[in-house]
Amino acid sequence: KQCTAPCVGYIDRPGYHELVEQVMMVLEGRSAELESLLLERIREASAAMAFERAAVLRDRLYDLRRTLERQRAVGVTGAEDRDVFGYYTRGSFTELQVLYYRGGKMLGGRVYSFERREMPIDELISSFLLQFYSDAAVIPAEVLIPIPLEEAEALAEILGEQRGAKVTVHHPVRGDKRALVDLAMRNAEHSFQEKQLSEKVNEETLRQMQQVFELPKPPVRIECFDISTIQGSRTVASMVTFNNALPDKNRYRRFSIKTVEGQDDFASMREVLLRRYTKAVAEDDLPDLVLIDGGKGQLNVASAVLQDLGIEDLPHISIAKARTQEEGGRSPERFFLPGRMNPVLLPQNGTVVQLLARVRDEAHRFAITYHRQTRSKNTLRTSLTGIPGVGPARAKTLLNKL
């Protein structure tokens, strides 16, 4: 019950814009102003006997105040706006953490990772700060850094020119400000530890996948395919790639089906796999595992294509999505393997099922997005650009005026 669900009409456009504006007020440090605004809206709703609306606003005000109380616990007097930097390094790996304070309250932070650091840490931080603030939307009055920098004064002058007001770049050694830097340092270390743990979990998941599917090695690189069509028109396909259990979006691919008329998912899947792996064979660019969204039929298509290309040993499986059953409950995620009649059922809360379901869902999302883009372009072309004298630019102008 956290999503207002504008995509299905649970909130109207003015209501959603109002919510976005209130979020922006928090991010801009105008929380006190927002508290007053919400109190006024609650009084107006109550006076109009719109008690359900008043209750929603009351809960929003309560959540805002609870969040602000946590932020006030880490507030420090002095500059209202400041950025606080910390770092953690191990070997050639460095994690930089920045915490954002606006209006005297901490609004959050962000972590930046450097896997192959070759320069000294002070040079890395100096270089990073210059790049970080080169296109920053907001430059605070104070920047707290974890170590002394020779370029601190020059950096302060540069930031002051960008901000149009004085900026202090300070390395605190004691007191409340040093405590903030220490907090950023601890957060950087925790981030590093979480990433290390996540990598270990991913490695173990891939090893389990190798065992349960009897693969020759852990499937470090997985390519997954999905077909998208609506009422047999404008069929498209997607391929998403996961490396070490993480999305590799540079390797995502989209396909428009060219040789298939009407709705034929099997023929469409055959075309896509032939196009992809004909090129992959020529470039020696094969993945460790091919994942097909579908059941036994889709898997058989994949097996036939790979055999035609002479790469039938390339590991491939299909995943049949869990569905709600008529008698209640949900069927489990099922995996089909070549040469095996019955599907493989794995613990549904296990990391293997969770990872492969996430890969499949990402392929489905990518395919649906491409299908919508294609459908939108085709609709624009047939309904407006078919009019003499109306090109794409004028059609866009007409749509914006509707």
Side-chain angles (χ1 to χ4, degrees):
K1 297 184 179 180
Q2 296 298 310
C3 180
T4 55
C7 59
V8 292
Y10 285 3
I11 186 173
D12 58 18
R13 182 179 291 270
Y16 188 72
H17 284 180
E18 178 187 15
L19 190 59
V20 171
E21 290 172 0
Q22 293 175 4
V23 171
M24 291 174 64
M25 291 176 70
V26 174
L27 297 178
E28 292 169 356
R30 299 160 56 199
S31 301
E33 181 182 343
L34 178 56
E35 284 188 77
S36 300
L37 176 63
L38 289 175
L39 281 170
E40 180 63 27
R41 296 284 173 80
I42 291 171
R43 284 192 288 266
E44 291 175 356
S46 299
M49 302 185 70
F51 298 116
E52 291 186 2
R53 169 67 175 166
V56 171
L57 294 171
R58 177 205 61 201
D59 293 342
R60 190 178 301 172
L61 177 61
Y62 171 76
D63 291 338
L64 174 66
R65 285 174 169 171
R66 186 173 57 177
T67 301
L68 294 179
E69 285 303 317
R70 291 197 296 266
Q71 293 172 347
R72 290 182 182 118
V74 294
V76 173
T77 58
E80 287 287 293
D81 296 344
R82 60 163 59 91
D83 290 343
V84 182
F85 290 86
Y87 73 95
Y88 178 79
T89 183
R90 180 183 295 181
S92 61
F93 184 93
T94 299
E95 197 91 336
L96 288 181
Q97 169 81 59
V98 55
L99 300 177
Y100 306 114
Y101 287 77
R102 299 295 181 264
K105 305 176 184 66
M106 187 175 75
L107 297 185
R110 186 173 178 181
V111 176
Y112 298 84
S113 301
F114 300 85
E115 296 184 358
R116 294 179 179 85
R117 177 177 63 86
E118 298 179 354
M119 63 179 67
I121 187 64
D122 58 337
E123 293 182 16
L124 173 66
I125 293 177
S126 293
S127 176
F128 174 80
L129 290 175
L130 284 172
Q131 295 184 45
F132 180 80
Y133 287 113
S134 63
D135 58 353
V138 177
I139 297 178
E142 185 176 57
V143 176
L144 301 183
I145 54 178
I147 57 176
L149 300 177
E150 293 183 4
E151 302 86 353
E153 292 186 7
L155 177 62
E157 291 182 8
I158 294 172
L159 298 184
E161 291 177 1
Q162 290 181 237
R163 184 172 182 263
K166 182 180 179 181
V167 174
T168 301
V169 178
H170 177 49
H171 166 236
V173 295
R174 63 179 66 87
D176 291 340
K177 293 183 179 181
R178 182 64 215 185
L180 294 182
V181 172
D182 290 340
L183 175 62
M185 299 284 281
R186 290 195 299 272
N187 284 1
E189 182 178 1
H190 292 161
S191 175
F192 173 79
Q193 293 172 346
E194 289 175 1
K195 287 181 179 179
Q196 290 288 95
L197 177 60
S198 177
E199 289 177 3
K200 290 180 180 178
V201 170
N202 289 341
E203 289 174 2
E204 178 59 27
T205 299
L206 296 179
R207 281 195 293 268
Q208 292 179 15
M209 202 179 298
Q210 177 188 10
Q211 294 175 358
V212 297
F213 296 133
E214 299 180 355
L215 305 176
K217 61 180 181 178
V220 173
R221 185 170 129 211
I222 302 173
E223 293 182 353
C224 180
F225 296 84
D226 180 57
I227 303 294
S228 177
T229 183
I230 295 180
Q231 298 178 347
S233 65
R234 305 186 186 96
T235 302
V236 299
S238 70
M239 182 194 86
V240 301
T241 303
F242 274 54
N243 263 317
N244 287 309
L246 297 173
D248 184 357
K249 295 192 176 183
N250 290 330
R251 283 184 168 272
Y252 282 22
R253 298 292 184 270
R254 302 182 298 189
F255 302 86
S256 294
I257 303 303
K258 301 177 180 178
T259 64
V260 180
E261 296 291 339
Q263 183 171 356
D264 189 336
D265 287 355
F266 291 164
S268 298
M269 182 64 73
R270 176 176 176 81
E271 177 189 325
V272 170
L273 294 176
L274 273 173
R275 289 165 59 183
R276 164 59 189 150
Y277 290 113
T278 298
K279 181 178 179 181
V281 169
E283 297 178 351
D284 191 21
D285 184 35
L286 296 173
D288 300 309
L289 177 66
V290 178
L291 180 65
I292 305 296
D293 180 18
K296 189 69 175 177
Q298 283 85 354
L299 179 66
N300 289 338
V301 171
S303 297
V305 170
L306 298 181
Q307 185 172 11
D308 290 346
L309 296 174
I311 51 173
E312 59 272 12
D313 292 336
L314 178 62
H316 54 288
I317 63 175
S318 67
I319 175 173
K321 188 173 185 177
R323 299 182 183 278
T324 302
Q325 298 174 320
E326 293 181 0
E327 60 274 17
R330 287 176 63 83
S331 63
E333 300 276 8
R334 296 158 294 150
F335 300 92
F336 291 90
L337 279 62
R340 177 167 177 158
M341 180 62 66
N342 296 321
V344 174
L345 299 179
L346 302 175
Q348 296 298 289
N349 60 349
T351 57
V352 171
V353 172
Q354 291 175 355
L355 172 59
L356 292 179
R358 184 158 63 96
V359 175
R360 184 267 321 283
D361 292 343
E362 176 68 355
H364 184 66
R365 179 201 66 80
F366 195 51
I368 288 292
T369 300
Y370 183 42
H371 191 279
R372 288 172 177 166
Q373 293 173 352
T374 303
R375 192 169 70 245
S376 176
K377 290 179 180 178
N378 288 340
T379 301
L380 175 64
R381 183 178 301 116
T382 56
S383 61
L384 291 177
T385 56
I387 302 174
V390 177
R394 182 166 296 179
K396 184 177 180 180
T397 302
L398 290 171
L399 285 176
N400 289 333
K401 294 293 183 181
L402 295 178

